Amino acid sequence: MRLSTVFWASAILYLITALISKTVYSDLLPGPGTAPLAYALAFLGVIAVSYRLSGKLDDSYKTKLYLAVLVVVLFPLGWWGLILALAIIGATEVIIHYEARGIESNPENARRELRIILTITVLVLFAIPIAVGAVPVLRPEARYSVFRLFYLAAGYFTVVVLSLKPDFRMFLLGEAIAIVSTFRTVGLAVALAYFLRMVQLGNPTTGIQKRRRYFIIGAVLITLLAVFVIRYYTTVQTYPGWSLGFFETLLYRPGVTYTVYERLLHLGMPWGKRGILFSTDPKGYVGSLFGRNVGYTYTIFGQPAYDFGILGLVEGAFLGMALADAERRRPTAVLSVTLMTLMVPIGVDAFFLSAMAFLAYLSVEVDVWKRSH
C-alpha cells in the first residue's frame, strides 16, 4: 500500500471522531456546522486531486515553487529564516553527494554516518533540559518553558533517524523523550515513523524472529499508551478541576480542536487574516484569539481557512503536490506522511509547511539527478 493511505485514514477518522465528540458532549461544545464540514471535505478533496495530478507537472517548475514557498514561509524569521533556507539548499546538495557515492544501493549501511550524528544530537538535546531540572513529567509547568523546544527538536530528529532505519532502540529513545516531556505529538510521530518505515521495507519483522515480533508490537502499543496516560496525568495536575476521565478526554479532545477550527473559519472568511502561518508562535496566536494565554491546536483545516479564507484551498493543492513528490524516495515518504498525519489534529504552521516544501524539493532534486546520471 502507499504510505499516504495512513494520512487519508487518519483525516477521515479524525473528522468522524470530532463530529461524534461534538454530539456526545453537546452540553460543552456547540453542534457541528455545515459550512466548516463542507470546507474540510473540500480541502481534503483538493489535496486528493492535486496528489493525483502532481506527476503531470514539470519538475523544474515544481522545484522553483517549493523554493519560493520556503522563502516566503521562512521570511518572517528574518536573518534566521534566510540562514535556514540556505542551510536547506546546502543539505540537499550534501544528500545528492551521498547518492553519488552509491549509498542508496546498500540499504543495510545507508547513511550510517548521518544516523550516528543525528543520534548524538538527540541525546544531547534530550539531556540538556533534564540536566537543568526542566522535567515536565515531574514538574508539569516545565512543559511550557523554553526547554520544550529541546524536547520537540530531540523528538523530531528521532523521527528522521527512524525514517532512515527502523531501529527499535531509537523507537524506545523517542518514546522516552515523549514520556519525560509529556508531548503526545512526539510519541505519535516516533511510533508512526517506526511503523511506516517497517511497512515500507515490506517486512514488518525487519529480520526479527516471530516470537520477538509480538513482543515488539506489544511494546510499541504499551509505550504509546503510556505517553497518553502520562499526558492525561499532567493535564489533571495542571487543571485540578478537570472532571473527564482518561477515555472521555481522548474523545473530547478532537471535538475541542475541531471547534477551534470552526471558529477560525468564521473569522477568516472570505479572504483571510494572514496571521497564523506567519506567526512565530502559531498556537499561542490562536489561543489569543480566544482570549487565552495558552496555545490552541486547530486542525489541518484551521490555518488555511483563517489565513486565506476561500483561497486556503490552494494551500491544500500545494500539500497534495508536495506529498506526492516527497513519496518518490523512501525516507522523505516516511517523513512527509508522518508530518501530514500530525497536521490533521495539530494544524499547519511555518515548520510543517516549510518541512513539506523541503521534503518535496529534496525528493524531486535527487530524482532528477538520478535520471541525468
Side-chain angles (χ1 to χ4, degrees):
M1 73 169 187
R2 284 183 176 270
L3 296 190
S4 56
T5 302
V6 173
F7 162 69
W8 296 113
S10 65
I12 294 171
L13 180 62
Y14 174 82
L15 274 178
I16 294 173
T17 304
L19 296 176
I20 292 174
S21 174
K22 289 172 71 69
T23 302
V24 171
Y25 297 104
S26 57
D27 55 330
L28 300 174
L29 301 171
T34 302
L37 180 58
Y39 187 92
L41 293 175
F43 192 82
L44 292 178
V46 170
I47 292 178
V49 171
S50 177
Y51 179 88
R52 292 280 187 178
L53 297 179
S54 178
K56 300 182 183 299
L57 303 176
D58 186 83
D59 285 343
S60 62
Y61 291 115
K62 288 193 286 187
T63 53
K64 292 182 177 64
L65 174 61
Y66 295 139
L67 284 177
V69 170
L70 276 172
V71 172
V72 170
V73 172
L74 296 177
F75 179 77
L77 298 179
W79 284 105
W80 284 108
L82 177 61
I83 293 172
L84 185 57
L86 292 175
I88 287 171
I89 297 173
T92 302
E93 296 304 316
V94 170
I95 291 172
I96 291 177
H97 173 69
Y98 269 86
E99 299 289 347
R101 288 172 53 189
I103 289 181
E104 187 77 4
S105 63
N106 192 345
E108 192 62 30
N109 297 313
R111 304 171 184 82
R112 187 172 187 275
E113 301 95 330
L114 180 58
R115 294 204 310 270
I116 292 174
I117 294 172
L118 288 173
T119 301
I120 293 173
T121 303
V122 168
L123 292 172
V124 171
L125 289 170
F126 187 30
I128 290 175
I130 293 178
V132 300
V135 184
V137 71
L138 301 177
R139 298 171 49 207
E141 67 276 8
R143 188 176 189 272
Y144 305 101
S145 70
V146 68
F147 291 103
R148 74 185 187 280
L149 300 177
F150 288 84
Y151 288 120
L152 290 171
Y156 285 118
F157 276 128
T158 302
V159 170
V160 175
V161 176
L162 290 171
S163 73
L164 298 173
K165 183 179 180 179
D167 190 321
F168 185 64
R169 294 167 297 181
M170 284 304 299
F171 163 77
L172 291 178
L173 175 60
E175 294 302 333
I177 294 170
I179 289 173
V180 172
S181 66
T182 72
F183 280 113
R184 290 170 298 194
T185 302
V186 171
L188 281 171
V190 168
L192 186 57
Y194 182 67
F195 168 76
L196 290 173
R197 190 62 171 123
M198 288 197 298
V199 169
Q200 192 179 59
L201 291 174
N203 179 13
T205 66
T206 59
I208 299 169
Q209 295 179 357
K210 188 173 182 178
R211 285 179 296 179
R212 294 188 61 193
R213 182 194 320 173
Y214 297 114
F215 166 77
I216 289 180
I217 294 174
V220 170
L221 295 175
I222 291 173
T223 306
L224 193 56
L225 178 62
V227 172
F228 277 76
V229 170
I230 289 172
R231 179 68 184 99
Y232 172 74
Y233 166 78
T234 57
T235 298
V236 173
Q237 294 295 311
T238 305
Y239 306 101
W242 193 265
S243 59
L244 297 177
F246 173 70
F247 292 105
E248 291 176 311
T249 301
L250 289 180
L251 179 60
Y252 179 68
R253 181 61 184 267
V256 172
T257 307
Y258 187 83
T259 299
V260 172
Y261 149 64
E262 290 181 314
R263 290 281 301 276
L264 290 176
L265 180 131
H266 290 303
L267 290 172
M269 286 297 166
W271 307 119
K273 306 291 185 181
R274 284 166 286 282
I276 300 175
L277 185 61
F278 304 106
S279 171
T280 55
D281 181 18
K283 294 181 181 63
Y285 177 87
V286 173
S288 68
L289 295 176
F290 291 77
R292 303 294 181 89
N293 60 356
V294 295
Y296 276 22
T297 52
Y298 41 84
T299 83
I300 193 172
F301 322 109
Q303 176 271 319
Y306 179 81
D307 281 348
F308 307 117
I310 296 173
L311 297 179
L313 296 176
V314 176
E315 190 173 332
F318 174 82
L319 288 173
M321 181 174 63
L323 177 60
D325 281 333
E327 279 195 303
R328 294 188 190 186
R329 303 180 68 247
R330 286 185 169 186
T332 52
V334 170
L335 290 172
S336 61
V337 173
T338 298
L339 292 178
M340 288 288 288
T341 304
L342 290 179
M343 280 190 275
V344 171
I346 296 173
V348 186
D349 57 22
F351 165 73
F352 282 123
L353 193 61
S354 60
M356 287 299 299
F358 166 63
L359 293 173
Y361 171 72
L362 171 62
S363 184
V364 173
E365 282 289 286
V366 172
D367 195 34
V368 169
W369 180 87
K370 282 185 175 181
R371 291 200 303 266
S372 63
H373 290 75

